[in-house]
């Protein structure tokens, strides 16, 4: 029987390494009162040449900042903070100025390659979990659901990872793929890192709470994490009421955790919102 990761309303997650800004694990403040997940961004099934990367049918390569986020750094941060875990995220938006497209040749061949290549990467980097963040698709939702669902099943069944998440957002070309995956394999998915920062800038607290309810009904029974970006993206920002919305959700028992995109962008403000988010999660309301 595959176990779901236990619920922890004091869960804080942060994407790191996508923008090659030299940010390191140790710079990011980790509060000992929360469960903290670093999410390395990204592993992509594309070739690594910079001028014209192309899809590899599930043979994953590492595209995060490997100079500053090495296997030794992963081991060190987990030794330093027993409450910290490290995951990797698949996909992302672009690679070498091209869209990263989910583009399998067949379900079986993609799954076989993905299980093999990701097992190597996860073991090499001492990782604990996996996140799915494809945003462009050259295939139908059912194929995406089967490929990702079988991948998650295999990685969990063989104890390669202990937790899984998906990172959808509200877009007609994106959401149907994740809803198909959720419908068939939702029992294998521990967290939904919903990209609330993909909504319009100037989102109000009321709108945000409405979006939260909408996505909670889309991903019924799922642990929907709330989020904002420190890269000047959209959604409800900390300045405009994000934590007021979180307080409402927390009182209703609906706050499953917070995640931020991304450490690379937060460094310029000395990770002030990482500190605020974690102290909010560990406080009693």
């Amino acid at each position: 029987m595959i176990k779901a990761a236990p619920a922890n309303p004091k869960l804080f997650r942060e994407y790191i390494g996508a923008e090659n800004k030299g940010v390191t694990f140790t710079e990011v403040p980790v509060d000992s009162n929360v469960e903290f997940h670093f999410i390395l961004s990204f592993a992509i099934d594309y070739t690594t040449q910079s001028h014209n990367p192309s899809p590899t049918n599930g043979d994953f390569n590492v595209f995060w900042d490997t100079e500053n986020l090495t296997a030794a750094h992963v081991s060190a941060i987990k030794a330093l903070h027993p409450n910290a875990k490290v995951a990797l995220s698949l996909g992302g938006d672009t690679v070498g100025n091209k869209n990263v497209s989910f583009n399998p040749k067949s379900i079986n061949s993609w799954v076989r390659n993905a299980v093999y290549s990701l097992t190597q990467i996860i073991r090499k980097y001492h990782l604990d979990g996996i996140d799915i963040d494809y945003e462009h698709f050259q295939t139908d939702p059912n194929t995406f659901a089967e490929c990702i669902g079988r991948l998650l099943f295999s990685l969990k069944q063989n104890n390669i990872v202990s937790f899984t998440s998906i990172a959808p957002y509200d877009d007609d070309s994106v959401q149907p793929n994740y809803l198909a995956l959720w419908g068939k394999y939702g029992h294998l998915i521990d967290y939904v890192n919903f990209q609330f920062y993909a909504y319009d800038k100037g989102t109000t607290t009321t709108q945000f709470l409405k979006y939260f309810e909408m996505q909670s009904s889309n991903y019924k029974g799922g642990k929907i994490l709330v989020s904002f970006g420190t890269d000047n993206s959209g959604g409800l920002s900390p300045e405009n009421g994000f934590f007021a919305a979180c307080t409402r959700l927390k009182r209703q028992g609906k706050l499953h955790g917070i995640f931020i995109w991304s450490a690379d962008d937060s460094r310029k403000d000395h990770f002030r919102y990482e500190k605020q988010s974690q102290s909010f999660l560990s406080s009693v309301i």
Side-chain angles (χ1 to χ4, degrees), residues 23-90:
V23 70
T24 62
F25 293 125
T26 48
E27 286 175 79
V28 182
V30 174
D31 184 322
S32 59
N33 296 308
V34 303
E35 181 176 340
F36 194 114
H37 294 177
F38 286 102
I39 306 174
L40 291 163
S41 313
F42 290 97
I44 312 175
D45 53 333
Y46 268 65
T47 55
T48 51
Q49 76 265 30
S50 53
H51 61 286
N52 191 23
S54 57
T56 57
N57 191 40
D59 186 5
F60 281 84
N61 289 302
V62 168
F63 284 84
W64 64 76
D65 178 357
T66 49
E67 203 173 310
N68 295 290
L69 302 165
T70 64
H73 292 131
V74 171
S75 297
I77 199 68
K78 292 205 285 185
L80 185 62
H81 298 291
N83 59 315
K85 296 188 167 89
V86 185
L88 83 173
S89 185
L90 306 188

Side-chain angles (χ1 to χ4, degrees), residues 16-276:
I16 186 168
E19 292 162 22
N20 280 301
K21 291 183 176 174
V23 70
T24 62
F25 293 125
T26 48
E27 286 175 79
V28 182
V30 174
D31 184 322
S32 59
N33 296 308
V34 303
E35 181 176 340
F36 194 114
H37 294 177
F38 286 102
I39 306 174
L40 291 163
S41 313
F42 290 97
I44 312 175
D45 53 333
Y46 268 65
T47 55
T48 51
Q49 76 265 30
S50 53
H51 61 286
N52 191 23
S54 57
T56 57
N57 191 40
D59 186 5
F60 281 84
N61 289 302
V62 168
F63 284 84
W64 64 76
D65 178 357
T66 49
E67 203 173 310
N68 295 290
L69 302 165
T70 64
H73 292 131
V74 171
S75 297
I77 199 68
K78 292 205 285 185
L80 185 62
H81 298 291
N83 59 315
K85 296 188 167 89
V86 185
L88 83 173
S89 185
L90 306 188
D93 185 20
T94 58
V95 59
N97 298 321
K98 284 171 71 168
N99 285 347
V100 171
S101 285
F102 185 74
N103 193 8
K105 290 201 167 110
S106 71
I107 294 170
N108 287 343
S109 63
W110 188 92
V111 171
R112 192 170 55 242
N113 292 340
V115 168
Y116 179 79
S117 60
L118 288 167
T119 298
Q120 310 288 100
I121 293 169
I122 290 163
R123 285 186 168 149
K124 176 183 173 182
Y125 282 89
H126 323 293
L127 304 177
D128 306 291
I130 192 167
D131 176 63
I132 309 297
D133 185 22
Y134 282 100
E135 303 187 359
H136 308 280
F137 304 87
Q138 297 282 335
T139 185
D140 62 286
N142 182 60
T143 301
F144 176 73
E146 285 303 325
C147 286
I148 300 298
R150 292 182 199 185
L151 168 67
L152 298 182
F153 178 82
S154 178
L155 294 177
K156 272 199 154 178
Q157 177 87 336
N158 295 304
N159 295 317
I160 306 298
V161 299
S162 57
F163 57 85
T164 63
S165 58
I166 56 174
Y169 59 98
D170 195 350
D171 180 280
D172 290 344
S173 68
V174 174
Q175 186 102 299
N177 295 280
Y178 287 96
L179 291 174
L181 172 62
W182 183 263
K184 201 153 185 196
Y185 292 99
H187 60 287
L188 299 174
I189 298 164
D190 298 300
Y191 313 108
V192 179
N193 278 13
F194 201 85
Q195 297 186 40
F196 287 99
Y197 44 84
Y199 286 109
D200 290 345
K201 261 190 177 168
T203 295
T204 65
T205 306
T206 309
Q207 286 170 323
F208 181 88
L209 291 166
K210 191 184 81 188
Y211 296 148
F212 181 86
E213 290 307 324
M214 207 161 76
Q215 301 311 332
S216 297
S217 81
N218 277 334
Y219 299 94
K220 235 185 203 14
K223 299 185 200 74
I224 315 285
L225 272 58
V226 294
S227 60
F228 59 90
T230 51
D231 60 347
N232 207 24
S233 50
L236 178 60
S237 66
E239 300 91 341
N240 291 341
F242 177 81
F243 290 105
C246 288
T247 301
R248 290 269 293 279
L249 294 174
K250 199 170 184 179
R251 287 193 176 129
Q252 295 166 358
K254 293 177 182 171
L255 187 68
H256 303 291
I258 296 172
F259 76 92
I260 294 178
W261 175 273
S262 70
D264 305 50
D265 300 296
S266 297
R267 183 200 234 169
K268 64 186 181 303
D269 286 326
H270 311 291
F271 304 100
R272 62 184 281 210
Y273 293 124
E274 283 74 2
K275 292 172 195 158
Q276 190 177 350

